[in-house]
Amino acid sequence: MTGGWLCWALRHCAPWIVPGAALAGLVLLAGCVTPVSPAPRGAAAGRTPEQTVVAERNLRLFDSVWATVEQKYYDPRFHGVDWRAAAMTYGPKAAAAADENALYGTINGMLELLGDRHTGAFTPAEARDYHTHERAMTGFRMRRVERRWVVYEVLSRSPAEAAGVKPGWIVLSRDGQPLGDNVKLPELRGGEVVRWEFLDGRDQPVALALTARRVSIAHHDVRVLPGGLVCLRFDEFDWSTMRWFSRQLKLHRDAPGVVVDLRQNPGGTLLTLDFMVGEFFDRRVVYAMSVDRSGHRRNLKALTLGSAHYRGRLAVLVDHLSASAAEIFAATMQEQHRGTVIGRKTAGDVLSARLRSLADGGMLEFSDRDLRTAGGRRLEGSGVTPDIVPPPVTLDDLRAARDPDLEAARRILQQP
């Protein structure tokens, strides 16, 4: 519903995190937007003819982005930003951009004025990553645990997995540089070698040179837990996940309880959310409402056609990276008293967004509708507060493969 997993990850997360903001109502807008930005025109003194050609091409792309937001952004007041003044400030910088990275950096600098993590521009390479659900990486996720960076998850078929990296390893440095409290890792290219230093599960030093390669970051996982409970984890609300999710619920329709693990899930499309919410109901419940630029409201209803109509108990796991459609799913189960939400407060990134292809092969994502829960709650900026907040994961937990959130879900689902 609001920004695909990769869009959110590329723009807001370090490369080892798969989040995220999910794409609501994916729409590729055909045709061109007439350049209407008030950015200054004309050749600048000292530019060569070649530089003038580049500047004009840059401005056409800049104008396309500016005009789309000006005409279609969900808040016609642009959160208080003077949008015409923004064009005057950033247009000359875009015209002067020497390369693609500088141009997109300038465009995103303007878009960031909106304070909206679902609105941003993506280079052609980032757009390709979005469509393939892959990116160049060494293949592990890390998180801050007990004031240290610790491997939280190792991605399947990744260089890190092949090298034997395990959850619970402490990450000391990257290319000889110790990791500080806040880490912003650069994007990687396929074939690039990254030198990591770790402490392994016995606190012994391990140095590894991992060669980045393209790795799928879209995963589905089903686990049967003690007592016949089933845990379903997935990384995005999309069509393949929707079909997988429905199949699993039908296969396990007699399970006494299901855990839906939405941790690090940035969301997906509203239409797939319609169906995935509907798997747990016998009727078309209103699960959210959208508000467009003009203030018109429309109820969003779950779809039950082909639903598993799962009637067992339900627990939903969330964390600070659960966003967008994942947040609405959790809030719906909470408001409908259908399930228990367990974990950490969610990201508070809940807007409906669209994608527009850009002339150079890049993409623009922009928020076109605000969203509320069926109960009228606005989750943007506030998130979902879980019903139960277990103790945070410890280093010992990771090394022993213990999951406090999942254990809390099991206890809830197994209560008499």
Side-chain angles (χ1 to χ4, degrees):
M1 36 151 289
T2 58
W5 48 268
L6 187 60
C7 291
W8 196 83
L10 288 171
R11 193 162 64 249
H12 307 294
C13 298
W16 34 264
I17 291 179
V18 179
L23 180 66
L26 172 60
V27 175
L28 296 180
L29 303 179
C32 298
V33 175
T34 303
V36 294
S37 94
R41 295 301 195 275
R47 277 189 189 146
T48 66
E50 293 79 9
Q51 289 171 330
T52 298
V53 170
V54 170
E56 291 173 350
R57 184 175 66 236
N58 289 354
L59 271 178
R60 285 195 295 273
L61 192 74
F62 176 87
D63 286 339
S64 177
V65 170
W66 184 92
T68 299
V69 173
E70 197 271 340
Q71 295 167 5
K72 299 182 180 295
Y73 191 64
Y74 84 100
D75 180 3
R77 294 175 294 279
F78 308 104
H79 299 169
V81 174
D82 186 333
W83 198 236
R84 294 186 69 81
M88 297 294 287
T89 299
Y90 286 89
K93 297 178 183 178
D99 56 31
E100 180 181 272
N101 288 335
L103 174 59
Y104 275 83
T106 297
I107 290 172
N108 278 317
M110 177 182 68
L111 297 175
E112 286 167 5
L113 297 176
L114 298 169
D116 172 0
R117 289 193 283 184
H118 299 87
T119 296
F122 307 97
T123 67
E126 291 169 342
R128 287 192 297 273
D129 287 348
Y130 171 84
H131 291 300
T132 60
H133 290 206
E134 293 179 346
R135 65 182 311 187
M137 57 171 55
T138 54
F140 66 91
R141 298 169 178 162
M142 60 185 179
R143 64 189 297 178
R144 200 72 165 156
V145 176
E146 298 173 4
R147 302 179 63 84
R148 291 175 287 191
W149 288 106
V150 180
V151 175
Y152 175 68
E153 184 176 20
V154 180
L155 298 184
S156 176
R157 296 183 292 277
S158 69
E161 182 185 60
V165 177
K166 302 293 184 185
W169 284 23
I170 298 170
V171 188
L172 300 177
S173 70
R174 180 186 189 277
D175 289 334
Q177 297 298 313
L179 302 186
D181 292 341
N182 299 304
V183 177
K184 175 67 174 177
L185 300 180
E187 295 289 334
L188 295 176
R189 299 181 301 276
E192 187 173 350
V193 177
V194 182
R195 292 170 175 81
W196 295 98
E197 291 184 345
F198 305 91
L199 294 178
D200 68 12
R202 295 173 295 176
D203 290 325
Q204 298 300 305
V206 177
L208 294 174
L210 301 179
T211 302
R213 60 179 175 79
R214 294 183 69 79
V215 175
S216 172
I217 52 177
H219 298 284
H220 304 152
D221 180 60
V222 56
R223 295 169 57 191
V224 178
L225 307 174
L229 304 176
V230 175
C231 179
L232 302 176
R233 180 189 168 188
F234 52 94
D235 290 331
E236 186 183 12
F237 285 75
D238 63 4
W239 289 105
S240 65
T241 299
M242 181 192 75
R243 292 190 291 269
W244 170 84
F245 191 67
S246 188
R247 286 197 304 271
Q248 293 303 323
L249 288 173
K250 289 168 184 173
L251 283 172
H252 300 285
R253 67 170 74 245
D254 295 327
V258 166
V259 180
V260 177
D261 188 349
L262 300 180
R263 291 174 294 183
Q264 299 196 44
N265 185 313
T269 69
L270 275 176
L271 186 54
T272 57
L273 180 61
D274 293 345
F275 282 100
M276 293 171 76
V277 168
E279 297 288 347
F280 297 91
F281 296 94
D282 292 324
R283 67 192 191 285
R284 294 194 63 196
V285 298
V286 174
Y287 70 86
M289 67 179 73
S290 68
V291 186
D292 66 18
R293 182 182 175 103
S294 67
H296 178 262
R297 299 189 174 213
R298 180 170 67 88
N299 285 337
L300 305 180
K301 294 184 178 181
L303 296 174
T304 58
L305 181 65
S307 166
H309 302 296
Y310 179 75
R311 294 178 173 85
R313 292 184 172 183
L314 173 65
V316 183
L317 303 185
V318 296
D319 66 6
H320 68 291
L321 293 176
S322 304
S324 189
E327 296 183 82
I328 289 189
F329 184 96
T332 298
M333 301 310 164
Q334 202 174 51
E335 287 190 349
Q336 295 288 335
H337 305 290
R338 180 62 184 85
T340 303
V341 178
I342 299 168
R344 323 294 146 187
K345 191 171 186 178
T346 63
D349 295 334
V350 187
L351 293 170
S352 171
R354 293 193 179 203
L355 288 180
R356 177 182 183 269
S357 297
L358 299 176
D360 66 344
M363 292 194 308
L364 170 66
E365 182 186 24
F366 64 95
S367 299
D368 70 327
R369 287 179 290 166
D370 199 358
L371 293 171
R372 305 283 196 279
T373 69
R377 283 189 292 161
R378 187 171 192 258
L379 300 177
E380 176 72 10
S382 60
V384 177
T385 300
D387 301 304
I388 297 173
V389 181
V393 68
T394 66
L395 180 59
D396 287 343
D397 288 333
L398 288 172
R399 289 180 171 178
R402 289 191 299 265
D403 186 336
D405 294 358
L406 186 57
E407 288 301 313
R410 286 179 56 191
R411 288 193 296 271
I412 288 295
L413 295 179
Q414 291 175 331
Q415 286 179 349

